[in-house]
Amino acid sequence: MVRKDACKKNLANAVRGHEDCKHVGKDNAGDFAEMKACPWGNLNGDMVESIANSLHRLDYIHLRSVCKAYRALLPTAMFTSNTRGTHLSPWLMFSRDHNSTTFNSLNPMHNNENYLLNHSDLMRTVIRFQKGGWLLVSKEKMEHCLFFSNPFTRETIKLPELPVDFTFSSVSFSSLPTSPDCVVVSIELQSYDDDQVVCLYFIRKGGEFWSSRNFGGSDIENYMPSHNTPAFYKGRFYFEDYNGSLGVFNIKNNSWKVLEEPYQPFSDIYPSFLVECDGKLLLVKLGRHGTLLGIYRFERYCVKVKNLVKHMLFVSHISCFSAIAPNSHMANKVYFLRLCMNGEGVLFYCLETGSYRSFKSRHSASNFTDTEGWYSNCTWIEPNWSKSTAQELEWVNSTS
Protein backbone atom coordinates (compact mmCIF):
# COMPACT_ATOMS: atom_id res chain seq x y z
CA MET A 1 0.00 0.00 0.00
CA VAL A 2 1.35 3.42 -0.93
CA ARG A 3 0.72 6.60 1.05
CA LYS A 4 -0.36 9.94 -0.32
CA ASP A 5 1.67 12.00 2.13
CA ALA A 6 4.87 10.47 0.78
CA CYS A 7 3.58 11.00 -2.74
CA LYS A 8 2.93 14.70 -2.14
CA LYS A 9 6.43 15.21 -0.75
CA ASN A 10 8.07 13.49 -3.74
CA LEU A 11 5.82 15.21 -6.25
CA ALA A 12 6.57 18.60 -4.74
CA ASN A 13 10.26 17.97 -5.37
CA ALA A 14 9.49 16.92 -8.93
CA VAL A 15 7.38 19.99 -9.58
CA ARG A 16 10.16 22.27 -8.27
CA GLY A 17 12.48 20.87 -10.91
CA HIS A 18 9.85 20.67 -13.63
CA GLU A 19 10.53 22.69 -16.74
CA ASP A 20 7.25 24.58 -16.47
CA CYS A 21 8.14 25.64 -12.91
CA LYS A 22 11.89 26.17 -13.17
CA HIS A 23 11.56 29.86 -12.45
CA VAL A 24 9.73 29.36 -9.16
CA GLY A 25 11.73 31.06 -6.38
CA LYS A 26 11.67 34.12 -4.22
CA ASP A 27 10.19 36.23 -7.00
CA ASN A 28 7.43 33.68 -7.54
CA ALA A 29 6.72 32.75 -3.92
CA GLY A 30 3.07 33.72 -4.22
CA ASP A 31 2.59 31.66 -7.36
CA PHE A 32 4.23 28.63 -5.75
CA ALA A 33 2.10 28.97 -2.60
CA GLU A 34 -0.98 29.07 -4.79
CA MET A 35 0.22 25.98 -6.68
CA LYS A 36 0.79 24.09 -3.39
CA ALA A 37 -2.73 24.98 -2.27
CA CYS A 38 -4.16 23.56 -5.49
CA PRO A 39 -5.30 19.92 -5.10
CA TRP A 40 -3.02 17.50 -6.94
CA GLY A 41 -6.03 16.03 -8.70
CA ASN A 42 -6.64 19.37 -10.46
CA LEU A 43 -3.40 19.30 -12.49
CA ASN A 44 -4.09 19.02 -16.21
CA GLY A 45 -3.23 15.82 -18.06
CA ASP A 46 -0.26 17.24 -19.98
CA MET A 47 1.41 18.43 -16.78
CA VAL A 48 0.80 15.11 -15.04
CA GLU A 49 2.36 13.16 -17.92
CA SER A 50 5.31 15.56 -18.09
CA ILE A 51 5.96 15.20 -14.34
CA ALA A 52 5.63 11.41 -14.61
CA ASN A 53 8.33 11.29 -17.28
CA SER A 54 10.86 12.74 -14.84
CA LEU A 55 10.06 10.46 -11.92
CA HIS A 56 11.72 7.29 -10.73
CA ARG A 57 9.57 4.17 -10.91
CA LEU A 58 8.71 4.28 -7.20
CA ASP A 59 7.59 7.91 -7.29
CA TYR A 60 5.66 7.08 -10.47
CA ILE A 61 3.73 4.51 -8.41
CA HIS A 62 3.07 7.19 -5.80
CA LEU A 63 1.79 9.57 -8.48
CA ARG A 64 -0.67 6.97 -9.81
CA SER A 65 -2.07 6.54 -6.29
CA VAL A 66 -3.24 10.17 -6.02
CA CYS A 67 -6.62 9.65 -7.71
CA LYS A 68 -8.55 7.56 -10.23
CA ALA A 69 -7.93 10.10 -12.99
CA TYR A 70 -4.16 9.67 -12.64
CA ARG A 71 -4.45 5.89 -12.66
CA ALA A 72 -6.47 6.07 -15.86
CA LEU A 73 -3.99 8.50 -17.44
CA LEU A 74 -0.75 6.72 -16.49
CA PRO A 75 -0.22 3.10 -17.60
CA THR A 76 1.07 0.61 -15.02
CA ALA A 77 3.69 -0.80 -17.40
CA MET A 78 5.42 2.55 -17.98
CA PHE A 79 9.03 2.71 -16.84
CA THR A 80 9.98 6.32 -16.19
CA SER A 81 13.64 5.72 -15.34
CA ASN A 82 16.18 3.18 -16.54
CA THR A 83 18.52 3.70 -13.60
CA ARG A 84 18.67 2.21 -10.13
CA GLY A 85 18.27 5.58 -8.44
CA THR A 86 20.74 6.10 -5.62
CA HIS A 87 18.22 8.31 -3.80
CA LEU A 88 16.08 5.27 -2.97
CA SER A 89 16.32 3.21 0.16
CA PRO A 90 16.77 -0.57 -0.03
CA TRP A 91 13.65 -2.59 0.77
CA LEU A 92 13.13 -5.48 3.16
CA MET A 93 11.75 -8.29 1.00
CA PHE A 94 10.32 -11.48 2.49
CA SER A 95 7.76 -14.23 2.08
CA ARG A 96 6.32 -16.06 5.05
CA ASP A 97 5.48 -19.12 2.94
CA HIS A 98 7.83 -20.85 0.48
CA ASN A 99 4.77 -21.99 -1.47
CA SER A 100 3.62 -18.42 -2.04
CA THR A 101 4.38 -16.29 -5.08
CA THR A 102 3.70 -13.07 -3.15
CA PHE A 103 6.56 -11.25 -1.44
CA ASN A 104 6.17 -8.36 0.97
CA SER A 105 8.55 -5.45 0.47
CA LEU A 106 8.86 -2.88 3.26
CA ASN A 107 10.28 0.52 2.41
CA PRO A 108 11.84 2.13 5.53
CA MET A 109 12.28 5.45 3.71
CA HIS A 110 8.52 6.09 3.69
CA ASN A 111 7.39 4.92 7.13
CA ASN A 112 7.66 1.25 6.20
CA GLU A 113 5.29 1.32 3.25
CA ASN A 114 4.44 -2.21 2.22
CA TYR A 115 4.51 -3.23 -1.45
CA LEU A 116 3.50 -6.63 -2.78
CA LEU A 117 5.64 -8.30 -5.46
CA ASN A 118 4.15 -11.27 -7.28
CA HIS A 119 6.75 -13.53 -8.85
CA SER A 120 5.84 -17.08 -9.87
CA ASP A 121 9.51 -17.97 -10.54
CA LEU A 122 10.26 -17.56 -6.83
CA MET A 123 7.70 -20.13 -5.69
CA ARG A 124 9.31 -22.98 -3.69
CA THR A 125 12.74 -21.38 -3.87
CA VAL A 126 15.38 -20.29 -1.39
CA ILE A 127 17.03 -16.85 -1.69
CA ARG A 128 20.79 -17.33 -1.32
CA PHE A 129 22.26 -13.90 -2.05
CA GLN A 130 21.39 -10.40 -3.30
CA LYS A 131 23.35 -7.66 -4.98
CA GLY A 132 22.16 -4.62 -6.93
CA GLY A 133 18.54 -5.80 -7.06
CA TRP A 134 19.44 -9.26 -8.39
CA LEU A 135 18.69 -12.36 -6.33
CA LEU A 136 20.67 -15.59 -6.51
CA VAL A 137 18.10 -18.31 -5.92
CA SER A 138 18.04 -22.11 -5.69
CA LYS A 139 15.15 -24.48 -6.06
CA GLU A 140 13.86 -25.76 -2.75
CA LYS A 141 15.63 -29.07 -1.85
CA MET A 142 17.74 -28.67 -5.03
CA GLU A 143 20.69 -26.48 -4.04
CA HIS A 144 22.62 -27.39 -7.19
CA CYS A 145 20.00 -25.65 -9.38
CA LEU A 146 20.78 -21.94 -9.19
CA PHE A 147 19.45 -18.98 -11.15
CA PHE A 148 19.45 -15.19 -10.98
CA SER A 149 16.20 -13.27 -10.68
CA ASN A 150 15.36 -9.58 -10.74
CA PRO A 151 11.89 -9.33 -9.14
CA PHE A 152 11.42 -5.76 -10.37
CA THR A 153 11.95 -6.43 -14.08
CA ARG A 154 11.00 -10.16 -13.86
CA GLU A 155 14.16 -11.10 -15.74
CA THR A 156 15.96 -14.37 -14.98
CA ILE A 157 19.34 -15.88 -15.83
CA LYS A 158 19.83 -19.61 -15.46
CA LEU A 159 23.20 -20.92 -14.30
CA PRO A 160 24.79 -24.26 -15.17
CA GLU A 161 24.06 -26.81 -12.45
CA LEU A 162 26.47 -27.52 -9.61
CA PRO A 163 27.43 -31.14 -8.88
CA VAL A 164 24.47 -32.80 -7.22
CA ASP A 165 26.49 -33.97 -4.21
CA PHE A 166 27.85 -30.49 -3.41
CA THR A 167 26.13 -28.71 -0.51
CA PHE A 168 27.46 -25.20 0.07
CA SER A 169 27.42 -23.28 3.34
CA SER A 170 27.34 -19.93 1.54
CA VAL A 171 27.34 -18.55 -1.99
CA SER A 172 27.93 -15.09 -3.44
CA PHE A 173 28.63 -13.21 -6.68
CA SER A 174 31.04 -10.39 -7.38
CA SER A 175 29.05 -7.98 -9.57
CA LEU A 176 25.72 -7.72 -11.35
CA PRO A 177 25.00 -10.94 -13.29
CA THR A 178 24.53 -8.83 -16.41
CA SER A 179 28.15 -7.65 -16.14
CA PRO A 180 30.79 -9.52 -18.20
CA ASP A 181 33.08 -9.82 -15.15
CA CYS A 182 30.53 -11.50 -12.86
CA VAL A 183 31.90 -14.44 -10.83
CA VAL A 184 29.82 -16.73 -8.62
CA VAL A 185 31.60 -18.51 -5.72
CA SER A 186 30.33 -21.12 -3.27
CA ILE A 187 32.18 -22.68 -0.33
CA GLU A 188 31.93 -25.83 1.76
CA LEU A 189 34.07 -27.66 4.29
CA GLN A 190 34.48 -31.34 3.40
CA SER A 191 36.36 -34.33 4.83
CA TYR A 192 38.54 -36.76 2.86
CA ASP A 193 40.25 -39.63 4.72
CA ASP A 194 40.02 -37.80 8.04
CA ASP A 195 41.51 -34.65 6.49
CA GLN A 196 39.50 -31.44 6.18
CA VAL A 197 39.53 -29.42 2.98
CA VAL A 198 37.90 -26.19 1.97
CA CYS A 199 36.07 -26.84 -1.28
CA LEU A 200 35.37 -23.85 -3.53
CA TYR A 201 33.23 -23.98 -6.66
CA PHE A 202 33.19 -20.97 -8.93
CA ILE A 203 32.01 -19.97 -12.37
CA ARG A 204 32.62 -16.88 -14.50
CA LYS A 205 30.10 -15.39 -16.88
CA GLY A 206 30.41 -17.14 -20.20
CA GLY A 207 31.43 -20.41 -18.57
CA GLU A 208 29.55 -23.62 -19.30
CA PHE A 209 30.76 -25.51 -16.23
CA TRP A 210 31.71 -24.83 -12.63
CA SER A 211 35.39 -25.04 -11.71
CA SER A 212 36.51 -26.32 -8.31
CA ARG A 213 39.52 -26.03 -6.03
CA ASN A 214 40.27 -27.92 -2.82
CA PHE A 215 42.51 -26.38 -0.19
CA GLY A 216 43.83 -28.31 2.79
CA GLY A 217 46.79 -28.53 5.13
CA SER A 218 47.60 -26.54 8.22
CA ASP A 219 46.17 -23.38 6.61
CA ILE A 220 42.62 -24.60 7.21
CA GLU A 221 43.20 -26.93 10.15
CA ASN A 222 40.87 -24.97 12.42
CA TYR A 223 38.92 -23.14 9.75
CA MET A 224 35.13 -23.55 9.97
CA PRO A 225 33.24 -21.44 7.38
CA SER A 226 30.12 -19.78 8.72
CA HIS A 227 26.77 -19.63 6.98
CA ASN A 228 26.93 -15.85 6.63
CA THR A 229 27.39 -14.27 3.26
CA PRO A 230 30.99 -13.59 2.15
CA ALA A 231 32.05 -10.07 1.19
CA PHE A 232 33.56 -9.21 -2.20
CA TYR A 233 36.25 -6.60 -1.65
CA LYS A 234 39.01 -5.43 -4.02
CA GLY A 235 38.90 -8.50 -6.25
CA ARG A 236 38.70 -11.03 -3.42
CA PHE A 237 35.98 -12.90 -1.57
CA TYR A 238 36.32 -12.75 2.22
CA PHE A 239 34.82 -15.61 4.22
CA GLU A 240 34.50 -15.32 7.99
CA ASP A 241 34.57 -18.49 10.07
CA TYR A 242 33.28 -19.39 13.53
CA ASN A 243 36.76 -19.08 15.04
CA GLY A 244 37.20 -15.44 14.08
CA SER A 245 39.47 -16.13 11.11
CA LEU A 246 39.11 -14.73 7.61
CA GLY A 247 39.54 -16.92 4.56
CA VAL A 248 40.36 -15.08 1.33
CA PHE A 249 39.73 -16.34 -2.22
CA ASN A 250 41.47 -14.35 -4.98
CA ILE A 251 39.51 -14.67 -8.23
CA LYS A 252 42.45 -13.46 -10.34
CA ASN A 253 44.61 -16.52 -9.68
CA ASN A 254 42.11 -18.81 -7.90
CA SER A 255 44.24 -18.84 -4.76
CA TRP A 256 43.11 -19.29 -1.16
CA LYS A 257 44.61 -18.33 2.18
CA VAL A 258 43.54 -17.85 5.77
CA LEU A 259 44.79 -14.59 7.23
CA GLU A 260 47.51 -15.23 9.77
CA GLU A 261 45.97 -13.31 12.67
CA PRO A 262 42.49 -14.53 13.63
CA TYR A 263 40.26 -11.86 15.10
CA GLN A 264 39.77 -13.59 18.41
CA PRO A 265 37.40 -11.03 19.96
CA PHE A 266 34.82 -12.24 17.46
CA SER A 267 35.31 -15.99 17.85
CA ASP A 268 32.03 -17.15 19.34
CA ILE A 269 28.67 -18.53 18.28
CA TYR A 270 26.94 -15.19 17.81
CA PRO A 271 26.48 -13.61 14.37
CA SER A 272 28.87 -11.22 12.71
CA PHE A 273 28.62 -9.71 9.26
CA LEU A 274 31.20 -8.56 6.71
CA VAL A 275 30.27 -5.55 4.59
CA GLU A 276 32.14 -3.19 2.27
CA CYS A 277 31.50 0.48 3.00
CA ASP A 278 33.12 3.54 1.45
CA GLY A 279 36.11 1.55 0.23
CA LYS A 280 36.68 -0.20 3.57
CA LEU A 281 35.91 -3.71 4.81
CA LEU A 282 33.80 -3.60 7.98
CA LEU A 283 32.62 -6.22 10.43
CA VAL A 284 29.36 -5.81 12.37
CA LYS A 285 29.57 -7.94 15.51
CA LEU A 286 26.56 -9.01 17.55
CA GLY A 287 26.42 -10.65 20.96
CA ARG A 288 23.79 -12.46 22.97
CA HIS A 289 20.18 -11.53 22.09
CA GLY A 290 21.47 -9.32 19.30
CA THR A 291 23.38 -6.86 21.45
CA LEU A 292 25.59 -4.90 19.05
CA LEU A 293 29.14 -5.21 20.35
CA GLY A 294 30.58 -2.88 17.75
CA ILE A 295 31.46 -2.14 14.14
CA TYR A 296 35.11 -2.69 13.22
CA ARG A 297 37.23 -1.69 10.24
CA PHE A 298 39.86 -4.17 9.06
CA GLU A 299 43.34 -2.72 8.65
CA ARG A 300 46.53 -4.11 10.19
CA TYR A 301 44.40 -4.52 13.25
CA CYS A 302 40.74 -3.92 14.01
CA VAL A 303 39.67 -0.31 14.49
CA LYS A 304 36.31 0.41 16.07
CA VAL A 305 34.02 2.58 13.93
CA LYS A 306 32.07 5.13 15.94
CA ASN A 307 30.26 6.95 13.14
CA LEU A 308 29.09 5.94 9.65
CA VAL A 309 28.48 9.62 8.79
CA LYS A 310 26.29 9.65 5.63
CA HIS A 311 26.28 5.88 5.15
CA MET A 312 23.90 3.17 6.32
CA LEU A 313 24.50 -0.58 6.56
CA PHE A 314 22.06 -3.37 5.69
CA VAL A 315 23.03 -6.74 7.14
CA SER A 316 21.64 -10.27 7.11
CA HIS A 317 22.71 -13.86 6.64
CA ILE A 318 21.89 -13.50 2.93
CA SER A 319 23.16 -10.09 1.90
CA CYS A 320 25.28 -7.34 3.47
CA PHE A 321 25.91 -4.01 1.78
CA SER A 322 26.16 -0.30 2.42
CA ALA A 323 24.47 2.68 0.83
CA ILE A 324 24.53 6.46 1.04
CA ALA A 325 21.48 7.54 3.00
CA PRO A 326 18.81 9.33 0.94
CA ASN A 327 18.14 11.65 3.89
CA SER A 328 19.79 12.55 7.19
CA HIS A 329 17.45 10.66 9.50
CA MET A 330 18.31 7.34 7.80
CA ALA A 331 22.09 7.87 8.00
CA ASN A 332 24.51 6.44 10.58
CA LYS A 333 22.36 3.37 11.19
CA VAL A 334 22.55 -0.42 10.78
CA TYR A 335 19.35 -2.01 9.46
CA PHE A 336 18.44 -5.61 10.26
CA LEU A 337 16.06 -8.22 8.84
CA ARG A 338 13.85 -7.91 11.86
CA LEU A 339 10.54 -6.23 12.57
CA CYS A 340 9.53 -4.55 15.80
CA MET A 341 6.40 -5.98 17.35
CA ASN A 342 2.99 -4.28 17.18
CA GLY A 343 3.54 -3.04 13.63
CA GLU A 344 6.30 -0.60 14.56
CA GLY A 345 8.37 -1.31 11.46
CA VAL A 346 11.91 -2.27 10.51
CA LEU A 347 14.49 -2.56 13.29
CA PHE A 348 17.70 -0.52 13.11
CA TYR A 349 20.61 0.26 15.38
CA CYS A 350 21.40 3.96 15.72
CA LEU A 351 25.09 4.68 16.34
CA GLU A 352 24.27 8.15 17.63
CA THR A 353 22.02 6.90 20.45
CA GLY A 354 23.65 3.48 20.88
CA SER A 355 20.28 1.71 20.84
CA TYR A 356 17.82 -0.24 18.69
CA ARG A 357 14.82 1.66 17.41
CA SER A 358 12.32 1.90 14.57
CA PHE A 359 10.98 4.97 12.79
CA LYS A 360 7.41 4.33 13.97
CA SER A 361 8.19 4.01 17.67
CA ARG A 362 9.66 6.19 20.42
CA HIS A 363 10.83 3.14 22.33
CA SER A 364 14.46 2.01 22.31
CA ALA A 365 16.20 -1.20 23.37
CA SER A 366 19.68 -2.60 23.81
CA ASN A 367 19.01 -5.90 22.01
CA PHE A 368 16.56 -7.87 19.84
CA THR A 369 13.99 -8.42 22.60
CA ASP A 370 10.40 -7.89 21.41
CA THR A 371 11.32 -8.13 17.72
CA GLU A 372 10.59 -10.85 15.20
CA GLY A 373 12.95 -12.49 12.66
CA TRP A 374 15.15 -13.79 11.19
CA TYR A 375 12.94 -14.96 8.33
CA SER A 376 14.25 -17.89 6.34
CA ASN A 377 13.45 -16.47 2.90
CA CYS A 378 14.13 -12.82 3.51
CA THR A 379 16.66 -10.27 2.26
CA TRP A 380 17.43 -6.61 1.88
CA ILE A 381 17.16 -5.70 -1.78
CA GLU A 382 18.17 -2.63 -3.76
CA PRO A 383 15.30 -1.66 -6.12
CA ASN A 384 16.51 -2.02 -9.69
CA TRP A 385 14.16 -1.44 -12.64
CA SER A 386 16.94 -1.30 -15.25
CA LYS A 387 16.05 -3.48 -18.23
CA SER A 388 18.81 -5.66 -19.62
CA THR A 389 19.63 -6.56 -23.20
CA ALA A 390 19.31 -10.11 -24.49
CA GLN A 391 23.10 -10.37 -24.59
CA GLU A 392 23.41 -9.29 -20.95
CA LEU A 393 20.88 -11.93 -19.90
CA GLU A 394 22.78 -14.70 -21.68
CA TRP A 395 25.13 -16.44 -19.28
CA VAL A 396 26.70 -18.92 -21.70
CA ASN A 397 27.41 -17.31 -25.07
CA SER A 398 25.63 -19.07 -27.91
CA THR A 399 28.85 -18.90 -29.96
CA SER A 400 30.93 -20.65 -27.29
Side-chain angles (χ1 to χ4, degrees):
M1 177 180 294
V2 292
R3 299 184 178 180
K4 294 184 180 180
D5 56 347
C7 177
K8 291 178 181 179
K9 180 178 180 181
N10 293 320
L11 289 179
N13 292 334
V15 170
R16 287 189 184 97
H18 189 265
E19 185 176 10
D20 293 340
C21 306
K22 63 183 179 181
H23 298 298
V24 172
K26 292 182 179 180
D27 296 336
N28 304 83
D31 294 339
F32 186 63
E34 182 179 349
M35 182 181 66
K36 289 199 296 182
C38 177
W40 286 103
N42 290 349
L43 294 178
N44 64 59
D46 290 340
M47 179 173 284
V48 172
E49 289 182 333
S50 185
I51 292 173
N53 288 332
S54 66
L55 294 178
H56 189 276
R57 176 62 171 167
L58 179 56
D59 289 336
Y60 181 87
I61 294 172
H62 285 151
L63 179 59
R64 292 191 75 252
S65 72
V66 169
C67 61
K68 292 182 179 179
Y70 286 10
R71 287 192 290 274
L73 181 66
L74 303 174
T76 58
M78 179 178 176
F79 286 85
T80 59
S81 173
N82 201 36
T83 62
R84 289 164 56 188
T86 55
H87 64 286
L88 291 178
S89 165
W91 294 359
L92 191 159
M93 176 180 172
F94 66 94
S95 174
R96 298 180 185 272
D97 184 356
H98 283 240
N99 294 321
S100 175
T101 61
T102 301
F103 283 76
N104 293 75
S105 297
L106 295 181
N107 180 6
M109 183 176 174
H110 293 308
N111 296 320
N112 299 297
E113 287 179 339
N114 186 17
Y115 308 94
L116 297 180
L117 294 175
N118 290 298
H119 206 309
S120 58
D121 288 340
L122 296 180
M123 184 175 181
R124 297 190 180 91
T125 61
V126 179
I127 298 174
R128 301 292 181 177
F129 189 72
Q130 185 279 155
K131 177 172 283 190
W134 282 88
L135 304 174
L136 182 58
V137 184
S138 69
K139 295 291 185 180
E140 195 173 24
K141 299 180 181 180
M142 299 175 64
E143 290 187 1
H144 63 286
C145 296
L146 291 168
F147 65 94
F148 293 107
S149 173
N150 183 334
F152 299 96
T153 63
R154 303 184 184 278
E155 297 169 322
T156 59
I157 300 175
K158 186 177 180 181
L159 283 170
E161 292 185 3
L162 277 161
V164 178
D165 59 347
F166 181 75
T167 304
F168 50 81
S169 59
S170 62
V171 62
S172 174
F173 55 92
S174 61
S175 55
L176 295 183
T178 53
S179 302
D181 60 350
C182 180
V183 181
V184 185
V185 175
S186 60
I187 187 173
E188 184 58 287
L189 189 67
Q190 297 184 356
S191 298
Y192 293 98
D193 298 328
D194 297 328
D195 292 327
Q196 286 194 141
V197 298
V198 167
C199 183
L200 287 163
Y201 273 84
F202 53 95
I203 187 170
R204 291 174 168 81
K205 187 166 186 180
E208 298 183 61
F209 306 100
W210 291 78
S211 301
S212 66
R213 294 288 188 277
N214 291 342
F215 302 94
S218 59
D219 197 31
I220 61 100
E221 184 175 349
N222 298 314
Y223 185 82
M224 296 181 61
S226 71
H227 288 274
N228 288 349
T229 176
F232 184 71
Y233 177 67
K234 294 185 177 180
R236 297 172 174 85
F237 285 92
Y238 287 78
F239 299 81
E240 190 206 5
D241 86 334
Y242 288 111
N243 298 311
S245 299
L246 285 181
V248 184
F249 180 62
N250 190 331
I251 63 173
K252 292 182 179 180
N253 55 17
N254 301 332
S255 64
W256 165 268
K257 71 174 181 178
V258 177
L259 298 187
E260 293 182 1
E261 293 294 333
Y263 299 93
Q264 293 299 333
F266 316 124
S267 56
D268 55 40
I269 62 174
Y270 301 112
S272 54
F273 305 94
L274 292 171
V275 55
E276 187 274 334
C277 178
D278 197 25
K280 303 293 184 181
L281 183 62
L282 306 183
L283 183 139
V284 179
K285 180 58 187 173
L286 302 183
R288 188 179 182 186
H289 300 311
T291 301
L292 197 142
L293 301 181
I295 301 174
Y296 299 86
R297 181 174 68 248
F298 288 109
E299 294 180 354
R300 283 189 170 182
Y301 49 89
C302 285
V303 178
K304 192 166 186 177
V305 176
K306 297 181 179 180
N307 196 323
L308 297 171
V309 194
K310 62 183 178 180
H311 289 86
M312 48 187 182
L313 305 182
F314 296 84
V315 300
S316 73
H317 297 293
I318 293 177
S319 180
C320 297
F321 57 91
S322 65
I324 296 177
N327 52 55
S328 58
H329 78 277
M330 292 192 70
N332 200 28
K333 294 176 175 65
V334 184
Y335 296 82
F336 293 87
L337 287 184
R338 301 185 71 88
L339 299 176
C340 293
M341 295 298 201
N342 304 318
E344 293 178 344
V346 173
L347 182 75
F348 61 80
Y349 182 88
C350 177
L351 273 73
E352 182 178 356
T353 63
S355 62
Y356 285 102
R357 313 177 70 93
S358 76
F359 289 126
K360 299 179 77 174
S361 173
R362 296 182 179 179
H363 301 292
S364 62
S366 60
N367 53 42
F368 284 170
T369 305
D370 295 329
T371 65
E372 58 176 330
W374 310 79
Y375 299 116
S376 58
N377 213 23
C378 181
T379 184
W380 285 108
I381 187 167
E382 303 158 274
N384 182 355
W385 283 280
S386 297
K387 283 285 189 178
S388 306
T389 65
Q391 184 178 5
E392 290 174 329
L393 294 174
E394 191 176 27
W395 185 266
V396 179
N397 296 328
S398 57
T399 57
S400 62

